[in-house]
Amino acid sequence: MGEVEPGPAGPLEPPEPPEAPASRRPGGIRVLKRTMKRNGSRHCLNRRSRFGSRERDWLREDVKRGCVYLYGADTATATAVSASSAASSSSDLHLVLCTVDTPTSEICAGEGRERLYLQLHGDLVRRLEPTERPLQIVYDYLSGLGFDDPVRIQEEAANPDLGCMLRFYGEKPCQMDHLDRILLSGIYNVRKGKTQLHKWAERLVVLCGTCLIVSSVKDCQTGKMHILPLVGGKVEEVKRRQYCLAFSSAGAQAQTYHVSFETLAEYQRWQRQSSKVVSQRISTVDLSCHSLEEVPEHLFYSQDITYLNLRHNFMQLERPGGLDTFYKFSQLKGLNLSHNKLGSFPVLLCEISTLTELNLSCNGFHDLPSQIGNLLNLQTLCLDGNFLTTLPEELGNLQQLSSLGISFNNFSQIPKVYEKLTMLDKVVMAGNQLEVLNLGVLNCMSHVKHVDLRMNHLKTMVIENLEGNKYITHMDLRDNRLTDLDLSSLCNLEQLHCERNQLRELTLSGFSLRTLYASSNRLTAVNVYPVPGLLTSLELSRNLLECVPDWACEAKKIEILDVSYNLLTEIPMRILSSLSLRKLMVGHNHVQNLPALVEHIPLEVLDIQHNLLTRLPDTLFSKALNLRYLNASANSLESLPSACTGEESLSALQLLYLTNNLLTDQCVPVLVGHPHLRILHLANNQLQTFPASKLNKLEQLEELNLSGNKLKTIPTTIANCKRLHTLVAHSNHISIFPEILQLPQIQFVDLSCNDLTEILIPEALPATLQDLDLTGNTNLVLEHKTLDIFSHITTLKIDQKPLPTTDSTVTSTFWSHGLAEMAGQRNKLCVSAVAVDNFAEGVGAVYGMFDGDRNEELPRLLQCTMADVLLEEVQQSTNDTVFMAHTFLVSHRKLGMAGQKLGSSALLCYIRPDTADPTSSFSLTVANVGTCQAVLCRGGKPVPLSKVFSLEQDPEEAQRVKDQKAIITEDNKVNGVTCCTRLLGCTYLYPWILPRPHISSTPLTIQDELLILGNKALWEHLSYTEAVNAVCHVQDPLAAAKKLCTLAQSYGCQDNVGAMVVYLNVGEEGCTCEMNGLTLPGPVGFASTAVIKDPPKPTTPSSSSGVASEFSSEMSTSEVSSEVGSTASDEHNTVGLDAGLLSRPERRCSLHPTPTSGVFQRQPSCATFSSNQSDNGLDSDDDQPVEGVMTNGSKVEVEVDIHCCRGRQLENSPALRGNSPTPCLEERARGLAFGIRRQNSVNSGILLPVSKDKTELQKSPSTSCLYGKKLSNGSIVPLEDSLNLIEVATEAPRKKTGYFAAPAQLEPEDQFVVPRDLEEDVKEQMKHHQESRPEPEPSEEGRTELAEEFDTAL
């Protein structure tokens, strides 16, 4: 059968398939046949539910071939319809094979439709022009996302999940609520007047705009129409008649129409929409975001419309309701046509002489017509986000124009027409292309007071004459390239913004100066003359200042001074003793001491963290009686000054941060002098005790942080702190659980990494307790009763309960990780992480962090799916840049509808054997978008591996966003949404926000000690060097991660903060190969010894031990499950039941891995699996409750590391591929169980060998919660022997609903599991049965085959 060559004809077809059997029913996807157009028959369409081999072969022949999914209009009639359900609808989805040259007209002709529509990101729908090429649109979109390979682009274009981002319709989809807002119409019984003199009659009734329109004759729209204005009127229910409304206009001569509806639904629709109209004070019609090409003709009956909002539509010119007909609105004053992609200015709008406000931003204009000068009443004109380079001179005729916005255009100089517009007091030209700041031009505009030139290309400043400017009061020059700035000629300047330039010197006039913002420059001198007597706020942080300017010390009204992140060595006495200063920020300098205070000062906030202070002034607290906030963290303080000189303290201090100093127990009595203290941080000091009598007097305390000290107990008098809601005391030596469970407002308790052995708790816990962290307490034993009492806690984090065994196991010596996440001042945690210590058959590791800023849904989705996507991509490409980029792009697509409006930063680190560099054992590949970062500690020095994608820190990305005409608001956010330029999700902000990651790869060496992953909040408060120095000597990775989060919070972080610390040991001394002297453990029941060269120091269980984030989303599980597609195929390799025993290969470690057969084994990430449970603990598919499962009636969640799969080589061994005898019973006695694959699996009914040795997983850092049950509220409890919900880590429950479609895996109920209480009996029977069988003399080769096989050390 010959090949079909692409030609000018439209949708092409693959070779003609053979005729299907008559019994075969057509599927949901149909392939459009090219012969259909020739024979004119629509019945020759061949429908298929998926690609066949012929279709695939046809596509592979040319990358310019592809397919377009065509949806029916009814798939988007409601907003609740998800992408996945729409994609699976067999009656509404058509598959059209075509090429990139196929125009819309050909597809329409072949499909028998008039036109096609394109919807982006589930939002607006626009009609495609006949010459547009749908497949080329898809390819361009994927290329814009970041796909480079044409073959991969072709594959992605054929994925139906792409419909969440880009979708084609054969008919225009309409949502019911949008239709109601545009127009309501129908034939109903109508009666005019309030009395019953008039009779009921059927009439056409229309509600459009601000009026009720009633025809004089039934079904007649051309005759007389009765118009009833509703603004300010009334809509009332007529009680004497069912489903009847009375519409009344406003005014003394108000008219009334009674309309009777047939159904309750119609009655409610009309009442809802008309009530919105009558509640308005002015005649405003809002038709924004309706995908309109024209307004309904009935809208022109509403002659009282004064403001019309048509933002985000696709308005056309020459249409019955197009822009050229808007002159009919005789009273129109305000018109918003922004984001309509008009391309050219609608000239007929200039005939609407009543306009006072016109918004035409983001329409792609390159010039303006001269007729714009006819809008003489225009007061506000917005032209932002276009391509304008000049303004017409006729614009100067608009003498009433008081606001002109031309930001984010292509102007290279200030237009001269500003000189004629005398009513303008602002020049708003942010985001243009000005390179020279010409003050002479501004001097000619005496009416201009505010100048906004931020985000231009300003490099130099020109002063044409010495004449000063007495008019400009506000100047904004942020985010430019200025090196020197002299604005001393602006004698009336009150406010200056010049942040994020390259300024070395700044000179200003101080006559009228009130506020100065000059942070993030290179300033060494700031000159202001004369002394600014009106200055109230001065911000000079992140510069190179060595001293505070003298003029700042003499400013009499200064209230806020920020000189942090400079090179200061002292604070002038005149500053600290100022009688006006209320907030002083001098952190991150080199100040060695503060001057003594002599007089009382009004200072309220003092931040002196990260200096070289050894003591504070003795009179600080006695003279600064208004001081409420003091942060002296990261100094060398050894003592604190007294808070009072007499018997009674007058201190008003409420927040005190003293973390990371040298304070001892002697400082504690001083704290009693601050009776109003609410927040106290004393972390990372040298405290050994906290006197009970002193803590008893801090009755107002709400938050107490004592972590990182040497405390052995928390005083019992903490029970008197009735307002305490947060206690953080991790990384101490506490052995007795403090008496905090009596506190009525306690919410968060962190006692991890201590020496707790038991907990004495009351019978009832406080209802406010939400988070209890007990990880890292290796000797802690919790009774079953205690676990029941803890079951209602939202998040309970504990270690795995050690199980007694004689089997010796080997833990991984290459890397271990610790994770800490803290919500801070917010009530929800929007940071998630993934940690897989054994990834890709145990020869690698994956660590990631995701920060959703204000949403928690996307981080959870990425936590569950991204490692799976990476595993699939690694199988397809060995190029780290390629598979990492594809991992991010595919994860972006898999977010589905959840990713349309929400976004998340993402960071992924992949450690794998290095095949490119023979001198290195492993390589580290890091990819990120957004603000999450990774830092490698190499030889004690930090090595940044990530890139921060934000407008403030990446000028290249900021320029890209500007070139694509995004509007960047004054708070530096793209369209006012996010400061990031690259994220996963936020698809509606494409092409400004992209998912393409920054990727870096580095070979790991023996000098690489650890890897730190952190979100934005962590790195905003900790430098790379400080973070590395803080944890490089901490033995436990969990304690290290906790320390980083604690430091960030003590340094001022109030947001969500997350940190992950990965300890690396990739040198040859970490080798655990058998050839290096490692003795393998023997079978269960036989003692064996293991000799390891230079064994690592024992550490506490790592962070992943109990840190299992709880799924808590506003979206239901079923909603998200329909929105997020499957992460990968469900195919697995299986072996037969009659397969023989494996030959035992030589044991290898990850440094020297055994070559694998390359068979892809799918592994989900190490995340928290959850499934909806009924009241009896059943899943939706279960018939009987699982014996011994403890549940509180909602769901059971278990954190499992399912990547440490023992026995992967069991499936791929040559011994299993042959006809080998059945495994002997002795091997079963060693713990080898068999799981039967379910019927819905690809290979049903096949048995798989499954390791049932829990002790091998017990000591793995990433499986410390394996035998814990996480209840519906997030609590994790260790299970007793009778509560073994999951017997082995290789068998995670199959997730059929929820946030993601989990891979096909063995169900727990399908495994052959022997209860622990019967194990000995079974082993005895097996042994007896084995002894009764004749046992041949094993040869040397046979002994090798029968020896037990062990995978890489866990």
Side-chain angles (χ1 to χ4, degrees), residues 734-755:
I734 301 174
S735 58
I736 302 176
F737 192 83
E739 298 183 7
I740 54 174
L741 300 181
Q742 307 286 351
L743 299 176
Q745 300 183 21
I746 192 68
Q747 299 178 11
F748 179 87
V749 179
D750 187 352
L751 293 171
S752 58
C753 302
N754 277 287
D755 300 328

Side-chain angles (χ1 to χ4, degrees), residues 830-846:
C830 299
V831 178
S832 294
V834 60
V836 186
D837 289 323
N838 295 274
F839 183 76
E841 301 184 358
V843 295
V846 169

Side-chain angles (χ1 to χ4, degrees), residues 1130 1171 1179 1238 1240-1241 1292-1297 1302-1308:
D1130 292 340
S1171 58
D1179 194 86
R1238 295 178 65 87
N1240 56 4
S1241 180
R1294 182 186 180 98
K1295 177 84 171 177
K1296 297 182 180 179
T1297 60
Q1305 301 168 24
L1306 300 184
E1307 298 284 354

Side-chain angles (χ1 to χ4, degrees), residues 1000-1030:
S1000 65
S1001 294
T1002 180
L1004 295 179
T1005 67
I1006 195 173
Q1007 294 182 337
D1008 298 325
E1009 304 171 18
L1010 55 89
L1011 177 68
I1012 301 177
L1013 289 73
N1015 69 330
K1016 176 183 177 181
L1018 180 72
W1019 299 117
E1020 279 184 345
H1021 296 86
L1022 269 78
S1023 65
Y1024 301 145
T1025 302
E1026 183 179 7
V1028 167
N1029 293 337

Side-chain angles (χ1 to χ4, degrees), residues 530-574:
V531 174
L534 301 177
L535 184 67
T536 59
S537 179
L538 176 60
E539 183 177 328
L540 298 173
S541 62
R542 300 183 185 275
N543 281 285
L544 303 176
L545 297 175
E546 296 182 357
C547 61
V548 179
D550 291 337
W551 54 266
C553 302
E554 299 177 7
K556 301 300 182 182
K557 294 187 178 181
I558 188 169
E559 297 180 0
I560 300 174
L561 175 60
D562 187 354
V563 287
S564 56
Y565 293 93
N566 277 280
L567 306 175
L568 304 180
T569 57
E570 62 177 359
I571 302 298
M573 179 64 183
R574 291 179 295 174

